[in-house]
């Protein structure tokens, strides 16, 4: 058992990408953390940042 796990960030720029990727993560039973960021006030499309363990990256990409 590791005390610390390295995390990887995946940046998605659309709602459709986010939905597809979360579906893939759920099918693979991978734990994830998701945040929504708005870089620019005038930009209507939010940016989604998903964090997963680096070991799990090979399973979904």
């Amino acid at each position: 058992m590791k005390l610390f796990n390295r995390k990887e960030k995946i940046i998605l720029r659309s709602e459709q990408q986010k939905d597809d990727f979360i579906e893939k993560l759920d099918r693979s039973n991978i734990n994830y953390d998701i945040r929504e960021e708005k870089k620019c006030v005038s930009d209507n499309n939010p940016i989604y940042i998903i964090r997963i363990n680096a070991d799990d990256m090979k399973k979904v990409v």
Side-chain angles (χ1 to χ4, degrees):
M1 182 176 153
K2 293 182 181 180
L3 191 57
F4 298 102
N5 289 327
R6 189 167 160 234
K7 299 284 187 175
E8 292 287 334
K9 287 183 183 179
I10 301 162
I11 299 172
L12 305 172
R13 299 188 184 275
S14 73
E15 189 78 27
Q16 182 65 37
Q17 282 182 336
K18 177 193 74 120
D19 293 339
D20 292 343
F21 199 76
I22 287 177
E23 183 178 323
K24 188 185 289 188
L25 290 172
D26 287 339
R27 276 189 274 136
S28 299
N29 294 324
I30 295 174
N31 293 330
Y32 60 90
D33 179 39
I34 187 167
R35 283 189 324 198
E36 180 180 342
E37 282 192 16
K38 290 198 174 192
K39 294 279 185 185
C40 183
V41 176
S42 64
D43 190 16
N44 291 334
N45 298 328
I47 296 173
Y48 299 100
I49 300 174
I50 298 177
R51 291 176 36 139
I52 61 173
N53 288 333
D55 298 336
D56 293 333
M57 187 67 121
K58 294 176 186 175
K59 295 178 186 177
V60 292
V61 176

